[in-house]
Amino acid sequence: MKLEIGNLYVKDVQLGDHDAYENGILTIDKEAALTYLKSCDDHITDLDLVIAHPGDDTRIVPVIETIEPRVRMDGRTLFPGVTDEVVPAGDGVLKALKGCCVTVVGGTWGSFGDGVIDMGGEGAKHTYWSKLINICLVGETDEDFERHEQQKCNHALRWAGHRLAEYLGRIAVDAAVEETETYEFDPVLKRSKERNDLPNVALVLQPQSQMEALGYNDLLYGWDMNKYLPTFVSPTEVLDGALISGSFMPSSSKWSTYEMQNFATIKELFAEDGKTLNFVGIIMSMLNVALEQKERAAIMVRNIALNLGVDYAIVTEEGYGNPDADYVRCQVILEDAGIPVVGISNECTGRDGFSQPLVTLDEKMNALVSTGNVSQLIELPACKTVIGNLEAMNRDGMSGSWGYNEILGKSARDDGSIIMEGNNWFCGDHISGLSVKTMIEY
């Protein structure tokens, strides 16, 4: 499978009375875009488009989702089974608008899985999104049954974000690309002797799927991954929109759809493929709640790896807490099968940094990459502009903030300043590999 992504580097995004992409400037006909999105879903009651630039003194909250605008040159949907019918993904030619993202924001209501993005100041250092021009789709819906629930599907707004990403991509369909990324995944059974003599490496992905009620989990070709079983997937399918983000998971631990489209660990493996390793693909697993489900998934991952002839594996989870059990069990069963593993995840070591980092641990896990402590406290001053609703941090059960604490007070203070855990940065741990964090050696 061969996937070609032609990159267009966006210098600025403007709102106007027509759609255009010229000299790196993306102009969006705001009224036309919003009219289109509202026509796609009767549950949307209000929408707005607001542009936030890197360096702006702007705080965006509650952030629901980020997506990279793209267009497929053959006219197929970017997100099979989501924005259109189920069609193959993972091969063909598309164009991507780099340097920007569609950022879906709740106009009033937030939820457990929603987070914060700061575009400037000290807060900007905590997030990859501050480097991008955020095309904020701010909305309200009539999904009243969710309004006061901590867990929200946010279906109408999330789907609107994916449709907007397609709408924006089509604006640049005729633009000349500046750079082309080519990802070619050769059939595993038809590779050269030179390739097969290299160590076989597989990536095990564990997307979020632990909500038994449907509509909250990550989707693969539009299929809720709570109903999924581990299987083999081409890495080009992930880069091409077959996998999209759900609404459930502590915010900093999530993989947004943008991160799936640009999964840095996948790209790094492609860069070494045929040189230092033989990238034999992705074993796509899931994260469920029952012990039997966890054991079944681990066994199936093990057996797929053995049948692929995997020599080394990377295992990475979306989330922490309950998913830690799947993450650890998968690594241990692979190690027991003679397959050395590197694990990638965040950790929850408490505000003092002294708690156990994962819910469960095993001495066989001897190569772990940490993307940071979700419990780290962060205090930041007010921003001049808020896109969305700052009060959501106090009211709506967001994963790293609170309504009131006897010592710390409210997360969102009356003067606009905030105090929260790292949990609350939107996809802030960037477990996909886009991390902005560094290590300090003591």
Side-chain angles (χ1 to χ4, degrees), residues 126-143:
H126 290 266
T127 173
Y128 176 85
W129 315 112
S130 65
K131 305 173 186 296
L132 304 178
I133 301 170
N134 284 240
I135 305 165
C136 297
L137 181 65
V138 188
E140 307 278 3
T141 77
D142 66 0
E143 297 165 312

Side-chain angles (χ1 to χ4, degrees), residues 146 230 236 264 268 288 330 348 408 413:
E146 291 191 325
T236 58
E268 289 172 11
N288 287 351
C330 187
C348 185
L408 302 174
R413 297 163 176 152

Side-chain angles (χ1 to χ4, degrees), residues 401-413:
S401 53
W402 50 87
Y404 182 76
N405 179 287
E406 289 184 0
I407 298 173
L408 302 174
K410 296 189 294 186
S411 272
R413 297 163 176 152

